[in-house]
Amino acid sequence: MYLKILAILIIIVSCLIGWRYFGRSGAPEELQRAPHNQYVGAENPDVIITEIMDYRCPYCRAMPDTMVAFVAMHPEVRVIYRVYPIFKQPSIFEAKMAMAAGKQGKFEEMHNVLIRREAPVTPDEKNDIVRQLGLNVKQFDDDM
């Protein structure tokens, strides 16, 4: 029982430290607001889960298969992805990519590409990814 309480306290303290750091990380204002198009799952959910993540975080990149399986088992659930880009520029760049793809209705596809990448996306690779997903490159660049 004490181990469970300790684990919960560690999670809470970690979230609070991350939240304070995020406020000072220099992340653009639009990343500090929760976008409404960054989700997977039900359109009219009974339950909403918010996953706090960063595309450059190795622990976050370990989660996608678990979340996909969970949503498949529970079709009444929506998972909203709240990106906290704590790894500076690469994280901010990829968070903006996800938001821009979401504006064209392709958040989930972009999320799947970004969360499974080991290396950060470079500006040169960005256009290749955008084209592969069938997005409008000019609109994507404007939205970023």
Side-chain angles (χ1 to χ4, degrees):
M1 177 162 159
Y2 291 111
L3 287 176
K4 287 182 182 180
I5 292 172
L6 179 62
I8 290 170
L9 287 174
I10 290 171
I11 290 169
I12 290 170
V13 168
S14 298
C15 288
L16 290 173
I17 291 170
W19 180 264
R20 288 189 60 158
Y21 177 77
F22 177 68
R24 291 186 234 141
S25 69
E29 178 66 27
E30 68 269 17
L31 294 180
Q32 295 185 30
R33 294 187 307 268
H36 299 289
N37 61 4
Q38 290 190 206
Y39 69 89
V40 297
E43 288 297 318
N44 298 308
D46 293 336
V47 175
I48 296 175
I49 297 172
T50 301
E51 181 178 338
I52 300 169
M53 48 87 61
D54 181 334
Y55 287 109
R56 295 291 88 226
C57 171
Y59 299 104
C60 299
R61 289 197 317 267
M63 286 299 295
D65 295 333
T66 302
M67 296 311 290
V68 167
F70 182 81
V71 170
M73 289 174 24
H74 302 280
E76 73 283 359
V77 171
R78 172 184 288 179
V79 178
I80 296 175
Y81 293 94
R82 183 78 161 96
V83 180
Y84 285 96
I86 61 173
F87 291 99
K88 301 288 182 182
Q89 281 310 116
S91 296
I92 292 170
F93 185 72
E94 291 182 4
K96 285 182 173 185
M97 286 180 68
M99 290 177 69
K103 289 182 178 182
Q104 294 186 45
K106 295 274 189 162
F107 168 77
E108 186 172 358
E109 292 85 346
M110 182 64 78
H111 172 77
N112 290 334
V113 168
L114 296 174
I115 199 71
R116 287 180 167 80
R117 283 184 61 96
E118 288 296 322
V121 175
T122 64
D124 294 335
E125 294 173 314
K126 175 192 65 115
N127 287 337
D128 292 337
I129 294 169
V130 169
R131 284 187 199 98
Q132 288 172 359
L133 295 179
L135 299 169
N136 180 310
V137 177
K138 182 180 179 341
Q139 180 184 344
F140 187 88
D141 288 339
D142 290 346
D143 290 341
M144 276 193 69

